[in-house]
Amino acid sequence: MVVSLEARPVRISPSLMCADFLHLAADLEALEAGGADYLHVDVMDGSYVPNFTLGPDFCRALARGSRLPLDIHLMIDLPDRHVPSFAAFPNAVVAIHPETSRHPLRTLDLIRSHGARAGIAIDPAMPLSAVTEMLPFVSLVCVMTVNPGYAGQKLVPSTLEKVRELANLVSARGLDIEIEVDGNVSWDNIPRMVEAGARVLVAGSSSLFDAKAPLPENLRRLCRLVGRPDQSNTRK
Ligand code: DX5
Ligand code: ZN
């Protein structure tokens, strides 16, 4: 059954590249107890993007330390080589940037064949028209709202319109797709992003890992901002 966009809850996918790795175990516990829905893992290869970040070993540690499903964002060239290392984690979703694969539909199939849900991520410079053929084959579209590669960047404003256009397309075609936003998902930008149609928020240094307050407090603030009930008394 396709859930209409309005009825979809807003989900929270903490961006683990912004976490303090020296406190990871405690932070994972706080995220699970506080109502986070996914763990967003940014995988960067120093080629498709200039930076290096997380990899399969980190994902394995997360899967041991938390029950939350992994939301794996591959920012890597020629992803087919590495899909098997990422797509077998329980309930994972794995998203590729389609321009990194010669045959994106084949890569999406490969992701599914290893047990994960398949997704695509759209660079701010890529128009929606470049990916419409792929929409029937994905369960998540990550609209990059900054240029991929680094935390702490400013929103590319035109991407909000892309979220809206995508949300309209998804509901017009009756597709069952989660629309995610990634990059500068800040306290100020979140209401605009949700209003445009985003239903999964990749929460990084601009909100959840904002050093001005402790993580559990930021998570409560985030839940309140998107109209989610306070989890702190109901879950352990
Ligand atoms: C970019 C990353 C960041 C990350 C950090 O490739 O994917 O967008 O989530 O979040 P912010 O932008 O809040 O530091
Ligand atoms: Zn990401």
Side-chain angles (χ1 to χ4, degrees):
M1 190 192 70
V2 176
V3 181
S4 84
L5 181 65
E6 289 312 312
R8 270 183 199 276
V10 177
R11 298 202 159 113
I12 298 169
S13 191
S15 176
L16 272 295
M17 74 177 273
C18 300
D20 178 351
F21 297 161
L22 294 179
H23 294 107
L24 198 54
D27 285 359
L28 289 177
E29 234 175 85
L31 292 172
E32 212 172 300
D37 300 281
Y38 294 113
L39 298 174
H40 188 83
V41 184
D42 284 309
V43 180
M44 305 189 191
D45 66 351
S47 171
Y48 173 63
V49 287
N51 199 6
F52 288 97
T53 48
L54 313 168
D57 288 342
F58 186 77
C59 291
R60 260 188 291 280
L62 293 181
R64 277 207 326 272
S66 174
R67 282 171 300 189
L68 294 176
L70 302 186
D71 165 23
I72 301 175
H73 178 189
L74 296 182
M75 284 166 270
I76 63 176
D77 280 324
L78 303 176
D80 292 23
R81 299 172 295 168
H82 298 294
V83 160
S85 311
F86 291 103
F89 292 104
N91 305 314
V93 56
V94 175
I96 56 157
H97 283 258
E99 69 274 33
T100 60
S101 168
R102 291 270 173 87
H103 305 288
L105 294 185
R106 199 169 274 152
T107 308
L108 296 171
D109 261 349
L110 184 64
I111 292 171
R112 269 190 299 273
S113 75
H114 285 273
R117 293 191 297 138
I120 51 171
I122 314 180
D123 182 272
M126 181 180 269
L128 206 49
S129 57
V131 303
T132 46
E133 299 297 324
M134 299 170 212
L135 295 181
F137 304 97
V138 297
S139 45
L140 176 140
V141 175
C142 171
V143 178
M144 293 265 354
T145 41
V146 299
N147 287 302
Y150 297 99
Q153 304 179 81
K154 283 273 152 286
L155 176 80
V156 177
S158 59
T159 58
L160 285 183
E161 218 26 64
K162 199 189 296 183
V163 170
R164 191 182 308 283
E165 213 186 307
L166 175 62
N168 289 338
L169 194 59
V170 164
S171 59
R173 291 199 186 174
L175 296 167
D176 188 7
I177 292 178
E178 292 191 284
I179 301 177
E180 177 175 79
V181 280
D182 186 7
N184 199 200
V185 178
S186 67
W187 305 117
D188 285 346
N189 289 333
I190 287 168
R192 301 197 285 159
M193 290 168 157
V194 171
E195 190 275 324
R199 289 296 179 269
V200 182
L201 306 175
V202 177
S205 67
S206 317
S207 54
L208 193 56
F209 295 99
D210 178 347
K212 287 200 275 297
L215 182 65
E217 196 178 313
N218 283 336
L219 184 52
R220 280 195 294 275
R221 180 176 174 190
L222 190 47
C223 288
R224 273 200 306 277
L225 188 59
V226 299
R228 296 259 306 251
D230 188 345
Q231 303 279 321
S232 49
N233 298 323
T234 54
R235 282 164 66 160
K236 268 205 167 343

